[in-house]
Amino acid sequence: MDVLSAMMRMREGERVFMDETLGIFSTDADALQSPVELRIPSIGIYTGKGASHSWLWAVDTFEKHGLDLIFPFSEKEVNFIPHFEFLFVAGGDTFALADGLGKDGAEKIKKFVKEGGIYLGSCAGAYLVLYTSKSPLNLFNFVPVQIANFERELPPVRAMREKAFNRYACCFIIHPVRDEVLIETSPFPPFFSKEKISAPIFGGPVFKEPEGRGRVLARFSSFTERTVFLFDREIAERVLPGKPAIIEWRMGDGAFYLFGPHLEHPSFKFANSLLLKIIAYNIGKMRKKNSLSDIFFKGVPLKLPDSIRRLVSDMFMKAISIGDMKAFWKIGEKYYMPEHIPVFVRAIHKRMFKKRIFIEKEEMEIIEENLKVSKEILSEISPSTPEEKVEALISSLKDALRIFLRAYFRRGEYGALKLSQVS
Amino acid sequence: MKIKVETLRCNACGICEFACGYHRDREFNAMSSSIMLHRAEKKNYFGVILKREKDLYLARPEGAETLKPGESTGGGASSKPIVMREPCDLCKGEEFVFCVAVCPTGCLQIEEV
Amino acid sequence: MEFWNGKGLLVDLKEQKVEDLEVEGIISSVRGGYDAGNELVKEHSDGEPLVIGTGIYTASFFPSGCMGFILWKRNGKNFCLPLNWFFPVEFKLTGFDFLVIKNTSSSPVRLWIRDGICDILPAENLMGKDVWETMDFLKDDHGDEKVQALIAGNNSLSQGYWGGFDSNGCGEEFRKKNLKAVCVRGMGSISISEESFKKMLKVPRGKEIELSLSDEMKKLIHRRTACFNCGLNCYPFFMIEDDPKILKESEKKDPGFISLDPVYLKDENPKVAMEMLRKGSHPEGLKDDEIPSSFLKFAGVEASLVKECLNFGVCPLFFMKVLNGDKSHFNF
């Protein structure tokens, strides 16, 4: 049984076990050498300042595989961090992530990992915790690993200039390729075997060799027909193959798992399996106590009111209709295009037909208020809309989504999930 | 194997979108389809857009166009959301390619590469 | 419920109220959509209802599963307007199987239905606009080319731009209720089992039919189109203001037309036909047929078979020409 089947069976209510020494899965514990029972862990997903839309990929992927104890939180809610077992920080604008999370967020993340929590950092979420001297990133100096995609002089850009590099002081963080690459896994836990897996990279880090408490779990291997070269191919060949793509860095009782490619992208099934293996492997070792029930189980089962569904439905159509608009807006270090907007709206739209969700009245009011703000900006959006307005649009959409998804994934006392499955 | 589109055979009936949606979600729904009907009804201008692994295939009646990732579609409002959808996987895991099977005019065909 | 949403909508135009209707019970107790629609007409007879409905296989993989209908009573007599093209499918995908419209609004209104929501919107701005202007406005206002609508025209109800078969007073019923249009966009889903899906793929799909048109009219044909999920291609587009051979998108605002009811073409005067469609003026005016005679002529069937096909949401023309009237194809 592979990890994807294991997760599916766990989602269907079967008891599933993982062999810690061999990395295989079975519903029969006696068939394994050192079985550890899998369960659904609590996963906090950062959605606040600096996060773009790739956290939604993580939500979709986790939900698809039955890991649906998901708790989205913003930069104002870092107090929730100690309650999670896994913390996922996805792509976006690294500086804005640091600015949003701030000193308090940095300290909470550090304590979280030291006490046994697992930090999963994808793309900007990976850059965030690497060592740097630049403020406010230097609040997050947790993983002393450098990046290999760093140049003092900018080579000639071949395509997609706005996505090809980021300035870093007087130097450049370059992104030689985009989209699909092949990575090769290392033959020890959590992956247990050498395999070539395709995964997408969209501006994520290429690491240098970690030392000390670090391990390389996968390396960039080669390119495919789908790989898009933003610089000359020779530069990509120099920068990526052989370099670490996924690294583990242990701290205290926990660890950081950092990935350059987006293992959470829903279109890349085998990359998802690597992410799930990291989670499955660490569930058994989890020393941290999960106290999600303290913040998670509340609300009463209510139907999403027509007023909210109306806003979402109309915004969805409007968001699709502007997708053809030739525009892009730079918010911080991140470029947003009209086609990003329906991704946020669709995340609610496809879930809002669920008959009942566990939600509090105040939460519905927050969702509705934010959707009204979004709708107003969206109705007048054009290529000349100032960046601040687009930022306000994205921000209010994310706030509405955060509260909605929290309610959507929540189990109340009426829900199917028993508390004993969580603790 | 790939999907060949004989655009001038298309009659804009729209069933291909739902066939692909059924492959994705096992429901009659077009929202996650990898193939989309683009239509300007009043001008009787229509064709399909197919999101493939490596590119976006615009089967325009006046001639097909292929767009690589990052290029603009210019294909009209209803076409743009396809950029964010999963690419066609030729109905991997199914007994046949659904959109080809339902197409009533033979516009969509399988071509062995 | 397989093939159905199990939900209806009740709109009271006088009270300006919208509420959900539970229709699972009715659907389960009758043969299909048309019969269920008739039950709803009886149930809500206190409000002179218009019932817009769909059939079992409307919005499914059953070939030509595109049909819907509107039912009402006038002077104690039953009337039925069959709907084809794309409105019934878009309507069913909004999450509702039936729409019951009761009473009369004090001011001009239109209905906007999507994702399980129905809004009664003011329509003063649409008074004075012809059918095409109204349709242009609706597509633009809601920002989606796939929006479909039923629009009250000059003397008939139009399905979007392209007219339809209304010569038995449905448009007049809309006008009496001060209802300018019913506009829909379906982004939802219908449950269909894998077994049903595979069986539906085995139903013969037919092929393009011969059109009985003069050579002069044939010269104007641009590309042939069809209703949802149908290969008969009954509907040629007549290109009047541009080259019929053009393949790129015409730059003319209104380059031509489709006529859902062939009777618009009876005089073989395309410009006149186009103007009638634009204004929503059915050439047969207002008649007293239970089912419009032009529809029976188009489908080549009797009224009882039309009703049976509307139970299943399948086009009667397709049912006769391709399925040879074999009802065993309906059994799933």
Side-chain angles (χ1 to χ4, degrees):
Chain A
M1 193 192 303
D2 64 12
V3 68
L4 298 173
S5 309
M7 291 295 172
M8 196 182 329
R9 294 179 83 158
M10 189 172 72
R11 189 180 64 206
E12 286 162 6
E14 287 188 68
R15 293 182 73 189
V16 182
F17 302 87
M18 179 184 178
D19 190 317
E20 279 195 307
T21 46
L22 297 173
I24 54 179
F25 299 88
S26 175
T27 50
D28 180 5
D30 294 335
L32 303 176
Q33 253 182 51
S34 32
V36 172
E37 186 169 0
L38 294 186
R39 57 177 174 77
I40 304 171
S42 56
I43 307 176
I45 298 185
Y46 181 69
T47 71
K49 184 177 177 183
S52 62
H53 65 289
S54 54
W55 63 270
L56 285 169
W57 296 340
V59 171
D60 284 347
T61 296
F62 290 143
E63 183 181 14
K64 188 167 145 182
H65 296 288
L67 300 182
D68 56 0
L69 264 184
I70 293 170
F71 196 96
F73 70 100
S74 74
E75 71 277 13
K76 298 188 179 80
E77 297 172 316
V78 295
N79 287 335
F80 290 148
I81 291 175
H83 293 278
F84 310 135
E85 293 170 281
F86 291 83
L87 171 57
F88 195 98
V89 182
D93 176 347
T94 314
F95 280 93
L97 287 178
D99 191 49
L101 287 162
K103 187 161 180 267
D104 195 16
E107 284 169 3
K108 294 265 181 338
I109 290 173
K110 188 174 179 180
K111 191 165 188 272
F112 163 80
V113 176
K114 278 191 155 173
E115 289 177 357
I118 302 295
Y119 178 98
L120 304 165
S122 170
C123 199
Y127 281 117
L128 176 68
V129 296
L130 299 179
Y131 270 35
T132 177
S133 57
K134 283 187 83 59
S135 171
L137 283 174
N138 56 0
L139 293 169
F140 297 83
N141 284 351
F142 303 141
V143 180
V145 172
Q146 294 185 319
I147 56 174
N149 53 322
F150 187 82
E151 300 283 322
R152 297 201 185 281
E153 280 180 25
L154 185 67
V157 176
R158 212 175 96 154
M160 295 165 90
R161 191 177 177 84
E162 72 279 2
K163 294 188 193 291
F165 64 92
N166 294 97
R167 280 192 171 278
Y168 186 86
C170 54
C171 300
F172 303 90
I173 297 174
I174 65 165
H175 311 301
V177 298
R178 266 178 89 77
D179 215 312
E180 187 183 75
V181 292
L182 284 181
I183 60 175
E184 190 171 67
T185 55
S186 304
F188 46 75
F191 301 144
F192 290 92
S193 64
K194 219 171 176 184
E195 285 188 278
K196 285 204 175 140
I197 302 274
S198 66
I201 187 164
F202 300 116
V206 180
F207 301 104
K208 281 191 175 175
E209 294 297 321
E211 291 164 9
R213 298 189 299 277
R215 292 193 304 157
V216 178
L217 303 186
R219 295 179 185 277
F220 289 101
S221 169
S222 56
F223 310 113
T224 75
E225 283 179 333
R226 274 182 67 174
T227 309
V228 178
F229 293 88
L230 306 192
F231 296 86
D232 283 342
R233 191 176 176 129
E234 308 159 3
I235 293 173
E237 295 281 7
R238 170 172 58 79
V239 171
L240 276 91
K243 303 277 189 345
I246 305 175
I247 61 171
E248 175 200 79
W249 186 271
R250 301 217 73 89
M251 184 161 86
D253 287 338
F256 292 89
Y257 288 88
L258 308 182
F259 6 111
H262 285 268
L263 301 186
E264 74 279 14
H265 196 294
S267 297
F268 289 81
K269 193 169 86 165
F270 297 109
N272 296 163
S273 72
L274 298 185
L275 178 57
L276 296 172
K277 279 183 185 173
I278 292 172
I279 292 173
Y281 180 69
N282 282 284
I283 285 172
K285 301 182 172 339
M286 193 59 65
R287 284 200 184 92
K288 197 180 169 302
K289 224 176 144 40
N290 168 41
S291 53
L292 192 67
S293 53
D294 296 351
I295 52 166
F296 200 48
F297 294 95
K298 58 179 183 172
V300 291
L302 292 174
K303 195 177 148 200
L304 209 59
D306 281 2
S307 51
I308 289 179
R309 289 195 287 135
R310 178 178 290 111
L311 283 164
V312 173
S313 183
D314 291 347
M315 279 207 331
F316 184 52
M317 271 182 274
K318 179 66 183 177
I320 289 173
S321 76
I322 64 156
D324 205 43
M325 191 187 289
K326 288 175 175 48
F328 60 81
W329 302 279
K330 191 175 180 201
I331 298 169
E333 291 301 309
K334 184 88 187 149
Y335 284 91
Y336 283 89
M337 285 174 281
E339 64 211 43
H340 287 118
I341 297 168
V343 175
F344 289 104
V345 187
R346 181 72 181 144
I348 304 184
H349 185 260
K350 66 183 180 185
R351 293 179 169 97
M352 70 180 187
F353 297 103
K354 189 167 173 167
K355 289 227 162 50
R356 294 276 186 270
I357 55 173
F358 290 93
I359 193 164
E360 298 197 326
K361 195 163 166 293
E362 300 80 53
E363 291 176 315
M364 287 215 272
E365 284 164 10
I366 295 172
I367 294 171
E368 190 164 341
E369 200 41 55
N370 278 290
L371 287 176
K372 279 182 182 160
V373 169
S374 316
K375 189 181 177 191
E376 203 181 307
I377 302 173
L378 189 59
S379 63
E380 289 168 1
I381 204 160
S382 73
S384 58
T385 300
E387 263 98 7
E388 307 81 66
K389 280 223 127 159
V390 178
E391 187 173 9
L393 165 63
I394 305 282
S395 173
S396 54
L397 273 174
K398 283 201 298 182
D399 282 341
L401 247 179
R402 173 171 52 86
I403 304 296
F404 171 79
L405 287 173
R406 208 179 289 181
Y408 175 82
F409 288 114
R410 181 180 289 145
R411 307 313 207 310
E413 60 203 27
Y414 312 98
L417 184 76
K418 297 192 186 67
L419 272 175
S420 59
Q421 280 181 269
V422 175
S423 57
Chain B
M1 182 168 90
K2 69 174 192 179
I3 292 175
K4 182 178 159 193
V5 184
E6 297 242 11
T7 310
L8 294 182
R9 287 193 179 196
C10 178
N11 66 358
C13 82
I15 193 63
C16 49
E17 294 185 301
F18 290 88
C20 184
Y22 195 78
H23 161 60
R24 299 256 168 238
D25 301 325
R26 279 303 186 266
E27 280 187 326
F28 190 83
N29 173 292
M31 292 288 114
S32 49
S33 175
S34 306
I35 189 167
M36 284 187 76
L37 172 68
H38 170 69
R39 182 182 209 167
E41 194 179 346
K42 221 175 170 196
K43 311 279 185 95
N44 204 46
Y45 178 78
F46 53 87
V48 295
I49 299 175
L50 178 63
K51 184 170 183 191
R52 305 192 293 201
E53 287 276 330
K54 294 178 248 175
D55 55 38
L56 206 59
Y57 184 71
L58 311 183
R60 299 186 194 277
E62 67 269 39
E65 193 183 338
T66 301
L67 292 178
K68 294 285 180 193
E71 291 181 288
S72 169
T73 63
S78 293
S79 66
K80 195 63 174 185
I82 203 168
V83 173
M84 291 289 167
R85 296 188 186 179
E86 293 200 27
C88 172
D89 62 359
L90 293 167
C91 282
K92 195 171 170 180
E94 312 284 7
E95 290 168 63
F96 45 85
V97 179
F98 285 5
C99 63
V100 172
V102 300
C103 178
T105 63
C107 164
L108 301 175
Q109 300 165 19
I110 291 293
E111 188 175 63
E112 297 296 336
V113 175
Chain C
M1 284 183 97
E2 192 180 19
F3 305 124
W4 293 105
N5 295 295
K7 272 176 70 176
L9 254 180
L10 175 61
V11 175
D12 188 325
L13 293 178
K14 183 178 168 200
E15 304 297 326
Q16 300 275 300
K17 260 172 57 180
V18 174
E19 54 188 89
D20 285 355
L21 267 182
E22 201 278 291
V23 295
E24 269 190 48
I26 295 180
I27 289 170
S28 309
S29 65
V30 296
R31 185 151 166 76
Y34 177 82
D35 291 345
N38 269 313
E39 290 300 312
L40 288 168
V41 171
K42 287 180 210 160
E43 203 174 297
H44 297 278
S45 58
D46 59 318
E48 295 182 314
L50 277 171
V51 174
I52 298 175
T54 58
I56 300 172
Y57 303 137
T58 309
S60 76
F61 294 103
F62 198 105
S64 84
C66 65
M67 298 297 293
F69 50 84
I70 307 180
L71 305 177
W72 69 101
K73 269 176 130 73
R74 186 171 73 234
N75 301 329
K77 185 175 168 176
N78 291 327
F79 290 90
C80 168
L81 174 64
L83 303 172
N84 60 354
W85 200 234
F86 290 87
F87 178 91
V89 172
E90 287 290 335
F91 172 64
K92 201 168 182 187
L93 288 167
T94 65
F96 301 108
D97 305 310
F98 300 94
L99 165 61
V100 179
I101 307 171
K102 285 171 78 161
N103 297 320
T104 298
S105 173
S106 55
S107 59
V109 292
R110 62 181 173 99
L111 302 185
W112 167 222
I113 309 172
R114 70 284 182 220
D115 285 338
I117 311 268
C118 174
D119 288 333
I120 304 174
L121 300 177
E124 278 95 352
N125 61 322
L126 297 179
M127 305 316 287
K129 283 196 196 311
D130 64 33
V131 168
W132 286 19
E133 287 165 340
T134 303
M135 195 64 192
D136 287 342
F137 171 84
L138 293 172
K139 289 199 182 210
D140 188 55
D141 192 47
H142 299 305
D144 197 327
E145 171 65 31
K146 287 185 173 169
V147 150
Q148 288 289 324
L150 301 172
I151 300 168
N154 232 12
N155 73 352
S156 66
L157 189 73
S158 186
Q159 287 190 82
Y161 296 109
W162 313 133
F165 297 91
D166 179 28
S167 61
N168 56 354
C170 193
E172 186 54 33
E173 295 297 314
F174 266 56
R175 259 187 305 281
K176 271 168 25 186
K177 290 182 178 307
N178 236 337
L179 179 61
K180 177 67 180 175
V182 175
C183 185
V184 294
R185 176 66 176 110
M187 296 180 287
S189 47
I190 308 269
S191 168
I192 297 181
S193 71
E194 222 166 305
E195 194 190 333
S196 297
F197 168 66
K198 288 189 174 147
K199 282 185 184 168
M200 284 181 173
L201 291 196
K202 294 197 170 93
V203 176
R205 302 192 109 63
K207 52 185 187 174
E208 189 170 273
I209 57 171
E210 275 290 317
L211 297 171
S212 52
L213 290 169
S214 68
D215 290 339
E216 284 307 305
M217 288 300 291
K218 281 184 181 172
K219 280 182 195 161
L220 297 174
I221 292 177
H222 182 233
R223 291 171 71 189
R224 286 179 69 168
T225 67
C227 297
F228 179 76
N229 190 14
C230 183
L232 299 192
N233 291 357
C234 300
Y235 293 124
F237 185 94
F238 296 99
M239 190 65 86
I240 309 299
E241 301 294 341
D242 210 331
D243 179 3
K245 294 190 178 57
I246 192 173
L247 289 179
K248 66 179 174 70
E249 187 172 341
S250 173
E251 287 173 24
K252 304 286 181 186
K253 184 172 176 281
D254 300 333
F257 67 92
I258 289 167
S259 178
L260 296 179
D261 188 346
V263 84
Y264 281 78
L265 307 171
K266 67 177 180 179
D267 293 335
E268 302 223 333
N269 192 329
K271 290 202 172 186
V272 168
M274 188 153 132
E275 279 315 292
M276 294 181 91
L277 289 162
R278 188 195 297 277
K279 289 179 168 46
S281 301
H282 194 277
E284 299 205 327
L286 180 59
K287 291 158 76 173
D288 216 32
D289 303 327
E290 183 191 5
I291 295 176
S293 54
S294 60
F295 183 81
L296 298 178
K297 190 175 170 196
F298 164 75
V301 300
E302 288 179 0
S304 57
L305 198 54
V306 170
K307 292 172 188 178
E308 180 70 339
C309 287
L310 293 179
N311 266 328
F312 291 94
V314 169
C315 174
L317 171 65
F318 179 91
F319 179 66
M320 289 310 292
K321 274 209 177 316
V322 181
L323 304 184
N324 300 314
D326 181 1
K327 291 184 191 177
S328 68
H329 286 288
F330 289 156
N331 299 331
F332 276 81

